[in-house]
Amino acid sequence: GLFPGRGDTWARNLIEKGHISRGEFNFSGHPSSLPLHGSDSFFRLIFDISDATLQYSPRWPKATNVGGTVAINDNKTSFIVREGLIQGATITAAKVTMPETFITRRKVEIAGQARGPGHSIKQVIQNSPLIHGRAARLTDLNIGGNVLLNINATFPIHKLPPLKGEARKFSGKLKFLENRIGFTDSDLELENLKGNVIFENSAWRG
């Protein structure tokens, strides 16, 4: 494959299906010498895709009806998502990046924002690694109306022993937009709630 080891597996599984509407490929150098070095060598592949299903990690729910642009520019691979759905919530912006494509210790970075009904955002939490951190407490809420969820995640895609600071990381923010909030273990309800809940790995604050 184009990418070494598990990087090639990840790249092949990233886009499960979709329609390519435009593509461009520019290359100068010898294919066996990737990553390329020298001012006269370059590798660029870019294409637009629509109606795609995106599986950026088996630990996270799939994104569907995705439209965006995939770009490989020398050693960096990125997927800029302009539209899509995740668990019924609308993806308003997202970017999936492999900062260094051709090294052994590859990692993937995800930054995204989704807006949707409270129950859709709860499903994102329940079906992702967020359920193992403090964000799981948000699933105890009955949220009426739309909310905004921002996610940042980093995870390695190699099988080597992890280095210090190389563990999976995730953080995010849930923004309430004048919502009605109920509690599963109480009759208490809050109306027109505005504010943020910020979480990072196993910590959170609001």
Side-chain angles (χ1 to χ4, degrees):
L2 175 63
F3 308 120
R6 294 186 72 191
D8 192 65
T9 301
W10 174 82
R12 290 176 183 273
N13 294 337
L14 174 62
I15 303 173
E16 188 173 289
K17 63 178 182 178
H19 303 287
I20 295 175
S21 57
R22 180 188 69 87
E24 180 180 331
F25 178 65
N26 297 284
F27 177 78
S28 175
H30 197 282
S32 64
S33 62
L34 292 173
L36 300 172
H37 301 282
S39 58
D40 295 332
S41 301
F42 58 85
F43 180 95
R44 296 185 184 92
L45 172 64
I46 184 170
F47 58 89
D48 292 333
I49 193 166
S50 60
D51 196 25
T53 298
L54 185 66
Q55 178 71 81
Y56 43 85
S57 170
R59 296 171 178 261
W60 292 79
K62 293 181 180 181
T64 59
N65 301 107
V66 171
T69 300
V70 179
I72 305 173
N73 193 347
D74 291 330
N75 196 33
K76 181 178 180 179
T77 301
S78 61
F79 188 170
I80 298 175
V81 177
R82 290 187 291 271
E83 61 184 1
L85 298 171
I86 182 168
Q87 302 283 188
T90 299
I91 300 172
T92 55
K95 186 176 183 179
V96 182
T97 305
M98 192 191 299
E100 296 180 274
T101 301
F102 300 104
I103 65 172
T104 303
R105 292 184 175 274
R106 289 170 301 280
K107 66 179 180 180
V108 172
E109 300 172 349
I110 299 171
Q113 182 183 85
R115 180 186 178 114
H119 64 83
S120 293
I121 300 302
K122 285 173 61 174
Q123 288 178 354
V124 173
I125 295 172
Q126 290 169 339
N127 297 311
S128 73
L130 298 176
I131 195 64
H132 303 300
R134 294 298 178 90
R137 293 186 179 183
L138 297 172
T139 62
D140 294 331
L141 304 179
N142 295 319
I143 305 172
N146 288 337
V147 292
L148 195 64
L149 178 67
N150 288 276
I151 291 290
N152 290 279
T154 301
F155 52 89
I157 53 170
H158 60 76
K159 293 184 177 180
L160 299 173
L163 298 175
K164 185 177 180 180
E166 198 182 31
R168 297 173 184 269
K169 302 175 184 178
F170 56 85
S171 61
K173 179 175 69 175
L174 182 66
K175 184 174 184 178
F176 295 106
L177 308 171
E178 298 186 350
N179 300 96
R180 179 189 54 78
I181 305 296
F183 298 85
T184 57
D185 57 354
S186 171
D187 293 331
L188 177 66
E189 285 194 354
L190 303 176
E191 296 285 347
N192 300 319
L193 180 66
K194 296 176 66 176
N196 301 317
V197 173
I198 299 172
F199 50 88
E200 183 172 359
N201 295 333
S202 60
W204 76 326
R205 64 183 188 274

